[in-house]
Amino acid sequence: MATRAEQKLKTRRALMDAALAQLSADRGFGSLSLREVAREAGIAPTSFYRHFSELDELGLALVDEGGVALRQLMRQARKRIARDGGSAIATSVETFMEYLGNNANLFRLMLRERTGVSTTFRTAVKAEIDHFVTELADDLRRIAEEQNKPLSESKLVAEAMVTLVFNQGAEALDATPKEREELKVKLKTELRMILVGSQTLAKYQARSGN
């Protein structure tokens, strides 16, 4: 039984990898066919249905994987910051760029489906982004308390940061190494501007009582 279950997981993984391998800057998930994904994975098209009810279900599994992988990496980055110190923004940006380098097509999928025609996909991507925003907002509040640097509207700060990171990530996907390094510097500066702006607003609100 274990061997059969392991084989099923292996084939499911092969189908997901096959779909990812066919995505590119010029080709989105909507242009894939079940038949070509099955062929790329080395199985008969009819066998596809043992693993997914339809191609969209496979796509949703990839969206979930992309979101989970990014959140796990950022959690590891936060642990590294807590253990070794250093700039939270710099470490987070470097971690995000590592994620892009290793998961380019997963991120392409999330970017495209974030504003795609499928309501199901848009909802799934939004849920992943919301999870990311919530974790970041909690982290920002904790750091603000530890450093005694209050923030104004930490949830809005997190939303602004995540939106910025996604937009810059879209540019970084097909950038040259030199361009990507320039984007890193730009992104770190922009994130610091958002953070300092929120800290400054919090001070103003405390003084004015608003």
Side-chain angles (χ1 to χ4, degrees), residues 92-105:
S92 297
V93 169
E94 293 294 336
T95 301
F96 175 70
M97 288 300 179
E98 288 173 18
Y99 169 83
L100 280 188
N102 296 323
N103 302 276
N105 283 346

Side-chain angles (χ1 to χ4, degrees), residues 147-166:
Q147 298 181 350
N148 195 27
K149 293 180 179 180
L151 293 178
S152 176
E153 303 288 352
S154 58
K155 180 72 178 294
L156 293 181
V157 173
E159 288 178 356
M161 285 181 161
V162 170
T163 298
L164 179 61
V165 165
F166 265 68

Side-chain angles (χ1 to χ4, degrees), residues 55-72:
L55 201 56
D56 277 1
E57 186 183 348
L58 185 155
L60 291 172
L62 289 173
V63 167
D64 180 65
E65 181 174 88
V68 169
L70 181 55
R71 291 201 305 277
Q72 287 177 340

